[in-house]
Amino acid sequence: MNAKTRKLSQSLPLGRRFGLLMRLYFGALTKKLEQLDIDRHFSILILIEDSEEGFCNQQYLSNTLNIDKTSMVRMIDYLVGKGYIRRASNPEDRREHRILLTEKAHRILPRIHRAINDLNSKATNGLNTSQLKQFYKDLDLLAENLAHEPRHTIIMNLEKAKSTRK
Amino acid sequence: MNAKTRKLSQSLPLGRRFGLLMRLYFGALTKKLEQLDIDRHFSILILIEDSEEGFCNQQYLSNTLNIDKTSMVRMIDYLVGKGYIRRASNPEDRREHRILLTEKAHRILPRIHRAINDLNSKATNGLNTSQLKQFYKDLDLLAENLAHEPRHTIIMNLEKAKSTRK
DNA sequence: ATTGATAGTTTACATTGCCTACTATCGGTA
DNA sequence: TACCGATAGTAGGCAATGTAAACTATCAAT
């Protein structure tokens, strides 16, 4: 809290703020959905649900969610182990695994959607419709700008600490 | 890319976008500073520099950067090992370690500042002054909103993959 | 039949946040 | 003076993830 502090927030990497927001967001989301027997990878379920029935393979999930394919294997394993999805080989291209939702997944997806919609709203509470629109546009712009920068590979890790569940 | 896809971006957790931005940002920052013999924890150096000479302890760093104190110990160890900072016990409170920059740190800090300022600018390229101001305000608002949500503890991990350096 | 590309898996490594437990020290108080 | 709670920092361990490298299986084209 010294004289120079006023400019500190601008001197620090902008990426730090995004990291903090991510932590806060997923901390809250996990809390909202703590009664489920999974505590992560909700996005994967949503993306599978969104994709054409039976046309979702792991590569598609990886690319769309920006998760590398070896991590995706583990995440799929996790969700398979919990009984929310299953792998089905595609007879038209036997290299592929089509990822399918189970009944169990369909049952909990409404709750997941509610939690996410609710949290997205709460997070942006205080912004009016046009501000919200602009904010999303800004995020897209930042991502676009940063995607064109040369970069090292960087790891992002998201996990619940007290994982009594397995 | 099916009919439902149009709404997909709104159905996914907002936190995902922040995670992506964080990865892109730090990937680019690490790249920009790859000639240095450290590849992370630049924020710590900046915060030490910003704080009053000799009044920066680990607790302060942890709180300000939202990093838990056991992780901070390891980060400090890393920077000490690289010769950028040193721990000095405070005679007025011998529990404390005052963290001080070395000459080596002072020499590279200008380069770090340049890289961060440059990247912050490039990331927000396309926003005019008032839009930029609003965007930063929005980020603060989101953080404020999310901080009030009940939450689980969540882990964020940032690391360079190919760490040939040690 | 060979060759190159693609989908997915496995293993290993490094790092981080969190937890628990611990030491040392400070400050107040009985 | 002696105790007690709080604070600063450390140590060890766990779980999870991105990445790399090496590998299998399959496809598509020549």
Side-chain angles (χ1 to χ4, degrees), chain A residues 40-41 68 70-71 74 95 153-157 159:
Chain A
R40 51 212 146 93
H41 308 329
D68 89 301
T70 65
S71 295
R74 286 182 298 227
R95 293 172 301 182
T153 318
I154 280 286
I155 291 185
M156 178 195 74
N157 189 350
E159 124 197 9

Side-chain angles (χ1 to χ4, degrees), chain A residues 152-153 155, chain B residues 39 159-165:
Chain A
H152 254 311
T153 318
I155 291 185
Chain B
D39 52 32
E159 121 196 12
K160 208 190 63 172
K162 183 188 293 179
S163 55
T164 47
R165 304 162 185 165

Side-chain angles (χ1 to χ4, degrees), chain A residues 127-140:
Chain A
L127 299 182
N128 62 38
T129 309
S130 73
Q131 286 173 324
L132 187 59
K133 203 166 176 178
Q134 179 67 38
F135 180 69
Y136 276 105
K137 262 182 60 182
D138 293 350
L139 292 182
D140 286 334

Side-chain angles (χ1 to χ4, degrees), chain A residues 11 23 26 38 40 63 65 68 73 81 86 96 104 152:
Chain A
S11 304
R23 265 191 295 162
F26 281 111
I38 50 173
R40 51 212 146 93
N63 294 341
L65 297 177
D68 89 301
V73 170
R86 61 191 181 82
E96 264 188 39
K104 188 178 177 189
H152 254 311

Side-chain angles (χ1 to χ4, degrees), chain B residues 91-102:
Chain B
E92 292 169 29
D93 184 341
R94 301 210 327 258
R95 292 172 301 182
E96 264 189 38
H97 289 172
R98 288 176 169 176
I99 309 297
L100 302 170
L101 295 176
T102 63

